[in-house]
């Protein structure tokens, strides 16, 4: 199985390369830290598998977008997404974009190998934590963050109080509280600061 | 209308009071009247009572009510003992007395008291000469002055109320900005830790997993992986130290803006580049808000240079100009276009710009790809 590594951290690529190099059946044929470059390389090298990081900070597109484009231009190449910590949304987005697997960085190496083999054989290779996240999503659906919730989050990030947010959005304070409870649940946050941090991390609101 | 207008009006009224008393007494003296001693005593009592109520009223609290009542009685006696023409002059003291009564007593009581004073005034003048014009004028003048005085006081109260509200809003705004800053800073740190330390640790763990697996079959390779991990952990330690330094920025309390900037530059030199701090012009005291904004600007500029520019020379210039204070951070790095897609670390230009704009300042960025970047923050020179 010929594998292309896509991650913007050199050390992560080195670790993946070290793991795959010593594992029978795998060959790392190329690596890059840039999403657009990964598409060029995939077309060029025709790997069987692409291990794709979700966040590619130095490039114009992120891992989800690169996955989507790869699925369109190189359908024979299977993408397995790799992140350092997953959320339900991440898993759902990755699979929707066409990923054939989802593993966590620095998990048990066998899980990584198994996911890659499964994807290569035409299945969906999921790390067990990613499966759990998917199960949670099915059994306790949270739904996506709504536009209105994003409005609330944006004001929250500006340090506004509930009353000020209510005034700004022409809503009652009680409604804002309800929104906050939903936002906390959807983002897995316990308080305002955690909600803002998580929303920023997911790119739901700009950092500034 | 300003507070000064009111105090000037009050001062004018008080001045008129003492001029009338002193002037009338002087006139009495020149007439060599036998009443002199008695009038002097009464005048002194009147002046004393009035002065204490006017200037130390808030000090003696409720005690000023009997005092002003006694003062009013003294005035009544006075206008009844002095010769006619002088009594007419003394009667004008009704105006300052009315103003003080209005200030000291509750509104209803004040109106009744001023009514009594006006009645005393009118009856005295009427007794002296039954001429209508002679007493209607002082009465009207008294009430007109009282009305004006009351109006100005209520305007002042409204103005003070507005000022208090403004002050409270400002404080709240500052709190909110602070809170927003804290949240943005937390988000930035979470992201930083995720982007650097977490990734390098994940990579290291994978290298160690590979080394563990290859330990017996390929010891040379395993050893190579261990060395890679050792290097990575070395970088990790540096990165962790830098994050800790970011969490504890140089304090302004320890010696003002220049000392904090000096400390900031000293720390930055540890990451490699030659950093120079240049100060020109005569330094002036600066508001804490302005100091913080400029320090954060320098911090943000240096973080951006460190992350994206790859510069080896940085110049931090603080210019104390006549009209403004200018902070300029210049580097010889990659320039702004080189970081078009770079992630924002929360020290971003928009938040700095917002901060400076709130203080009436500006933030500009000049950059040529490949020829470095100059970031200039400017604040107007206003007293803190």
């Amino acid at each position: 199985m010929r594998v292309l590594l896509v991650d913007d951290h050199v050390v992560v690529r080195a670790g993946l390369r070290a793991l795959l190099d010593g594992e029978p059946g795998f060959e790392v044929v190329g690596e890059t830290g840039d999403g657009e470059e990964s598409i060029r390389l995939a077309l060029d090298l025709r790997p069987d598998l692409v291990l794709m990081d979700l966040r590619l900070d130095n490039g114009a597109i992120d891992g989800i977008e690169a996955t989507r484009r790869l699925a369109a231009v190189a359908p024979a190449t299977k993408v397995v997404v790799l992140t350092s910590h997953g959320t339900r949304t991440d898993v759902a987005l990755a699979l929707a974009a066409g990923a054939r697997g989802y593993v966590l960085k620095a998990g048990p190496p066998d899980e990584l190998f198994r996911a890659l083999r499964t994807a290569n054989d035409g299945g969906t290779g999921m790390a067990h934590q990613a499966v759990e996240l998917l199960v949670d999503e099915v059994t306790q659906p949270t739904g996506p963050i709504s536009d209105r919730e994003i409005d609330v989050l944006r004001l929250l990030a500006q340090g506004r109080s509930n009353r000020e947010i209510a005034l700004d959005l022409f809503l009652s304070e009680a409604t804002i509280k309800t929104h906050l409870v939903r936002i906390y649940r959807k983002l897995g946050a316990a308080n305002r600061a955690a909600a803002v941090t998580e929303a920023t991390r997911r790119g739901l609101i700009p950092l500034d | 209308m300003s507070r000064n207008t009111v105090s000037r009006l009050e001062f004018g009224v008080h001045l008129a009071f003492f001029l009338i008393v002193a002037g009338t007494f002087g006139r009495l003296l020149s007439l060599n009247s036998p009443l002199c001693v008695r009038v002097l005593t009464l005048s002194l009592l009147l002046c004393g009572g009035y002065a204490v109520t006017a200037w130390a009223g808030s000090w003696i609290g409720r005690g000023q009510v009997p005092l002003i009542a006694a003062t009013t009685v003294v005035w009544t006696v006075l206008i009844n003992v002095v010769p006619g023409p002088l009594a007419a002059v003394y009667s004008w003291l009704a105006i300052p007395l009315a103003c003080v009564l209005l200030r000291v007593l509750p509104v209803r009581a004040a109106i009744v008291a001023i009514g009594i004073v006006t009645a005393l005034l009118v009856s005295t003048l009427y007794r002296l000469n039954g001429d209508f014009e002679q007493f209607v004028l002082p009465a009207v003048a008294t009430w007109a002055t009282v009305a004006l005085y009351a109006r100005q006081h209520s305007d002042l109260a409204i103005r003070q109320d507005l000022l208090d509200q403004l002050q409270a809003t400002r404080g709240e705004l500052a709190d909110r900005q602070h809170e927003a800053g804290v949240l943005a800073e937390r988000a930035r740190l979470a992201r930083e830790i995720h982007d650097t330390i977490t990734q390098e640790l994940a990579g290291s763990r994978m290298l160690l997993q590979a080394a563990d697996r290859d330990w017996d079959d390929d010891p040379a390779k395993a050893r190579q992986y261990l060395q890679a991990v050792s290097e990575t952990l070395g970088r990790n330690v540096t990165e962790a130290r830098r994050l800790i330094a970011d969490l504890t920025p140089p304090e302004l309390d320890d010696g003002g803006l220049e000392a904090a900037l000096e400390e900031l530059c000293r720390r930055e030199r540890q990451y490699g580049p030659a950093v120079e701090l240049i100060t020109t012009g005569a330094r002036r005291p600066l508001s804490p808000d302005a100091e913080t904004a400029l320090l954060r600007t320098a911090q943000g500029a240096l973080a951006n240079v460190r992350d994206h520019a790859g510069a080896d020379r940085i110049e931090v210039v603080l210019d104390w100009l006549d009209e403004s204070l200018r902070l300029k951070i210049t580097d010889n790095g990659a320039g702004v276009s080189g970081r078009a897609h770079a992630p924002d670390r929360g020290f971003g230009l928009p938040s700095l710009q917002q901060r400076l704009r709130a203080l009436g300042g500006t933030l500009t960025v000049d950059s040529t790809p490949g020829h470095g970047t100059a970031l200039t923050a400017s604040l107007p020179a206003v007293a803190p």
Side-chain angles (χ1 to χ4, degrees), chain B residues 184-210:
Chain B
E185 182 67 4
R186 279 196 200 172
R188 181 183 77 77
L189 284 165
R191 212 175 157 134
E192 282 256 304
I193 292 168
H194 175 269
D195 283 353
T196 57
I197 294 177
T198 313
Q199 300 299 320
E200 307 234 310
L201 286 178
S204 297
R205 183 166 188 219
M206 290 191 274
L207 282 165
L208 287 177
Q209 285 165 339

Short mmCIF file of all heavy atoms in Angstrom, two decimals, chain B residues 184-210:
data_model
loop_
_atom_site.label_atom_id
_atom_site.label_comp_id
_atom_site.label_asym_id
_atom_site.label_seq_id
_atom_site.Cartn_x
_atom_site.Cartn_y
_atom_site.Cartn_z
N ALA B 184 -10.10 36.02 24.26
CA ALA B 184 -9.30 35.91 23.03
C ALA B 184 -7.93 35.33 23.36
O ALA B 184 -7.41 34.48 22.62
CB ALA B 184 -9.14 37.28 22.38
N GLU B 185 -7.39 35.74 24.49
CA GLU B 185 -6.07 35.27 24.90
C GLU B 185 -6.12 33.77 25.20
O GLU B 185 -5.22 33.02 24.83
CB GLU B 185 -5.62 36.06 26.14
CG GLU B 185 -4.25 35.72 26.67
CD GLU B 185 -3.13 36.10 25.72
OE1 GLU B 185 -3.40 36.71 24.67
OE2 GLU B 185 -1.98 35.77 26.03
N ARG B 186 -7.19 33.32 25.86
CA ARG B 186 -7.33 31.89 26.15
C ARG B 186 -7.45 31.09 24.88
O ARG B 186 -6.83 30.03 24.74
CB ARG B 186 -8.58 31.65 26.99
CG ARG B 186 -8.35 31.93 28.42
CD ARG B 186 -9.48 31.29 29.21
NE ARG B 186 -9.58 31.90 30.51
CZ ARG B 186 -10.56 31.66 31.34
NH1 ARG B 186 -11.52 30.84 31.01
NH2 ARG B 186 -10.58 32.23 32.52
N ALA B 187 -8.27 31.61 23.95
CA ALA B 187 -8.45 30.90 22.68
C ALA B 187 -7.10 30.80 21.97
O ALA B 187 -6.75 29.76 21.41
CB ALA B 187 -9.46 31.63 21.81
N ARG B 188 -6.35 31.89 22.01
CA ARG B 188 -5.05 31.91 21.35
C ARG B 188 -4.11 30.88 21.97
O ARG B 188 -3.46 30.12 21.27
CB ARG B 188 -4.43 33.30 21.49
CG ARG B 188 -3.08 33.43 20.81
CD ARG B 188 -2.50 34.80 21.04
NE ARG B 188 -1.93 34.98 22.36
CZ ARG B 188 -0.77 34.48 22.74
NH1 ARG B 188 -0.04 33.80 21.89
NH2 ARG B 188 -0.32 34.68 23.95
N LEU B 189 -4.08 30.84 23.32
CA LEU B 189 -3.18 29.90 23.99
C LEU B 189 -3.58 28.45 23.72
O LEU B 189 -2.72 27.60 23.48
CB LEU B 189 -3.16 30.18 25.49
CG LEU B 189 -2.35 31.40 25.87
CD1 LEU B 189 -2.65 31.84 27.30
CD2 LEU B 189 -0.86 31.10 25.72
N ALA B 190 -4.90 28.19 23.72
CA ALA B 190 -5.37 26.83 23.45
C ALA B 190 -4.89 26.40 22.07
O ALA B 190 -4.40 25.30 21.86
CB ALA B 190 -6.89 26.78 23.51
N ARG B 191 -5.02 27.33 21.13
CA ARG B 191 -4.63 27.06 19.76
C ARG B 191 -3.11 26.85 19.66
O ARG B 191 -2.65 25.95 18.96
CB ARG B 191 -5.02 28.28 18.93
CG ARG B 191 -5.39 27.93 17.55
CD ARG B 191 -5.87 29.17 16.86
NE ARG B 191 -5.71 28.94 15.45
CZ ARG B 191 -6.64 29.22 14.56
NH1 ARG B 191 -7.77 29.76 14.95
NH2 ARG B 191 -6.44 28.99 13.30
N GLU B 192 -2.39 27.71 20.35
CA GLU B 192 -0.92 27.61 20.35
C GLU B 192 -0.47 26.27 20.87
O GLU B 192 0.40 25.62 20.30
CB GLU B 192 -0.34 28.69 21.26
CG GLU B 192 -0.33 30.05 20.66
CD GLU B 192 1.06 30.40 20.23
OE1 GLU B 192 1.97 30.36 21.08
OE2 GLU B 192 1.23 30.71 19.06
N ILE B 193 -1.07 25.86 22.00
CA ILE B 193 -0.66 24.59 22.61
C ILE B 193 -1.00 23.45 21.65
O ILE B 193 -0.22 22.53 21.45
CB ILE B 193 -1.34 24.42 23.99
CG1 ILE B 193 -0.77 25.44 24.96
CG2 ILE B 193 -1.11 23.01 24.53
CD1 ILE B 193 -1.53 25.57 26.26
N HIS B 194 -2.19 23.56 21.03
CA HIS B 194 -2.59 22.54 20.08
C HIS B 194 -1.62 22.49 18.89
O HIS B 194 -1.22 21.44 18.44
CB HIS B 194 -4.01 22.80 19.59
CG HIS B 194 -4.44 21.86 18.52
ND1 HIS B 194 -4.26 22.13 17.19
CD2 HIS B 194 -5.00 20.63 18.58
CE1 HIS B 194 -4.71 21.11 16.47
NE2 HIS B 194 -5.16 20.20 17.29
N ASP B 195 -1.27 23.67 18.40
CA ASP B 195 -0.46 23.73 17.18
C ASP B 195 0.98 23.32 17.40
O ASP B 195 1.65 22.87 16.47
CB ASP B 195 -0.47 25.16 16.62
CG ASP B 195 -1.77 25.45 15.91
OD1 ASP B 195 -2.55 24.51 15.75
OD2 ASP B 195 -1.98 26.62 15.54
N THR B 196 1.48 23.54 18.58
CA THR B 196 2.91 23.30 18.76
C THR B 196 3.17 22.08 19.63
O THR B 196 3.52 21.02 19.14
CB THR B 196 3.58 24.54 19.38
OG1 THR B 196 2.93 24.83 20.61
CG2 THR B 196 3.47 25.72 18.47
N ILE B 197 2.96 22.24 20.92
CA ILE B 197 3.37 21.20 21.85
C ILE B 197 2.63 19.90 21.61
O ILE B 197 3.23 18.82 21.54
CB ILE B 197 3.20 21.71 23.30
CG1 ILE B 197 4.18 22.85 23.51
CG2 ILE B 197 3.44 20.59 24.30
CD1 ILE B 197 4.11 23.51 24.86
N THR B 198 1.30 19.98 21.44
CA THR B 198 0.53 18.74 21.24
C THR B 198 0.99 17.98 20.01
O THR B 198 1.15 16.76 20.04
CB THR B 198 -0.97 19.09 21.10
OG1 THR B 198 -1.31 19.99 22.14
CG2 THR B 198 -1.83 17.86 21.21
N GLN B 199 1.19 18.70 18.91
CA GLN B 199 1.60 18.06 17.67
C GLN B 199 2.97 17.40 17.81
O GLN B 199 3.18 16.28 17.35
CB GLN B 199 1.63 19.08 16.53
CG GLN B 199 0.30 19.74 16.26
CD GLN B 199 -0.76 18.74 15.85
OE1 GLN B 199 -0.50 17.81 15.10
NE2 GLN B 199 -1.96 18.91 16.38
N GLU B 200 3.88 18.14 18.44
CA GLU B 200 5.24 17.61 18.56
C GLU B 200 5.25 16.40 19.49
O GLU B 200 6.00 15.44 19.26
CB GLU B 200 6.18 18.69 19.08
CG GLU B 200 6.10 19.96 18.23
CD GLU B 200 7.45 20.41 17.73
OE1 GLU B 200 8.36 20.51 18.56
OE2 GLU B 200 7.57 20.64 16.52
N LEU B 201 4.42 16.44 20.52
CA LEU B 201 4.34 15.29 21.42
C LEU B 201 3.74 14.09 20.70
O LEU B 201 4.20 12.96 20.87
CB LEU B 201 3.51 15.64 22.67
CG LEU B 201 4.19 16.54 23.71
CD1 LEU B 201 3.24 16.84 24.85
CD2 LEU B 201 5.46 15.89 24.24
N ALA B 202 2.71 14.35 19.87
CA ALA B 202 2.09 13.26 19.12
C ALA B 202 3.11 12.62 18.19
O ALA B 202 3.24 11.38 18.14
CB ALA B 202 0.89 13.79 18.34
N GLY B 203 3.86 13.47 17.48
CA GLY B 203 4.90 12.98 16.58
C GLY B 203 5.95 12.18 17.34
O GLY B 203 6.37 11.09 16.92
N SER B 204 6.34 12.71 18.50
CA SER B 204 7.35 12.05 19.32
C SER B 204 6.87 10.67 19.76
O SER B 204 7.63 9.70 19.75
CB SER B 204 7.67 12.89 20.56
OG SER B 204 8.21 14.12 20.16
N ARG B 205 5.60 10.63 20.16
CA ARG B 205 5.10 9.34 20.63
C ARG B 205 5.12 8.31 19.50
O ARG B 205 5.48 7.15 19.72
CB ARG B 205 3.68 9.48 21.18
CG ARG B 205 3.19 8.18 21.72
CD ARG B 205 1.96 8.26 22.58
NE ARG B 205 1.71 6.97 23.20
CZ ARG B 205 0.49 6.45 23.34
NH1 ARG B 205 -0.57 7.12 22.95
NH2 ARG B 205 0.35 5.28 23.92
N MET B 206 4.76 8.75 18.31
CA MET B 206 4.77 7.81 17.18
C MET B 206 6.19 7.34 16.90
O MET B 206 6.42 6.17 16.60
CB MET B 206 4.14 8.48 15.96
CG MET B 206 2.64 8.68 16.13
SD MET B 206 1.81 9.18 14.61
CE MET B 206 2.01 10.92 14.65
N LEU B 207 7.16 8.27 16.99
CA LEU B 207 8.56 7.89 16.79
C LEU B 207 8.99 6.86 17.83
O LEU B 207 9.69 5.88 17.52
CB LEU B 207 9.47 9.12 16.85
CG LEU B 207 9.48 10.01 15.60
CD1 LEU B 207 10.11 11.36 15.91
CD2 LEU B 207 10.25 9.32 14.46
N LEU B 208 8.57 7.07 19.08
CA LEU B 208 8.93 6.14 20.15
C LEU B 208 8.25 4.78 19.94
O LEU B 208 8.85 3.73 20.19
CB LEU B 208 8.55 6.71 21.53
CG LEU B 208 9.43 7.86 22.03
CD1 LEU B 208 8.91 8.39 23.35
CD2 LEU B 208 10.89 7.40 22.20
N GLN B 209 7.02 4.81 19.47
CA GLN B 209 6.31 3.55 19.19
C GLN B 209 7.05 2.76 18.11
O GLN B 209 7.22 1.54 18.21
CB GLN B 209 4.87 3.84 18.73
CG GLN B 209 3.95 4.27 19.87
CD GLN B 209 2.65 4.90 19.36
OE1 GLN B 209 2.57 5.39 18.24
NE2 GLN B 209 1.63 4.92 20.22
N ALA B 210 7.53 3.50 17.09
CA ALA B 210 8.29 2.85 16.02
C ALA B 210 9.61 2.31 16.56
O ALA B 210 10.02 1.18 16.22
CB ALA B 210 8.51 3.83 14.88
#
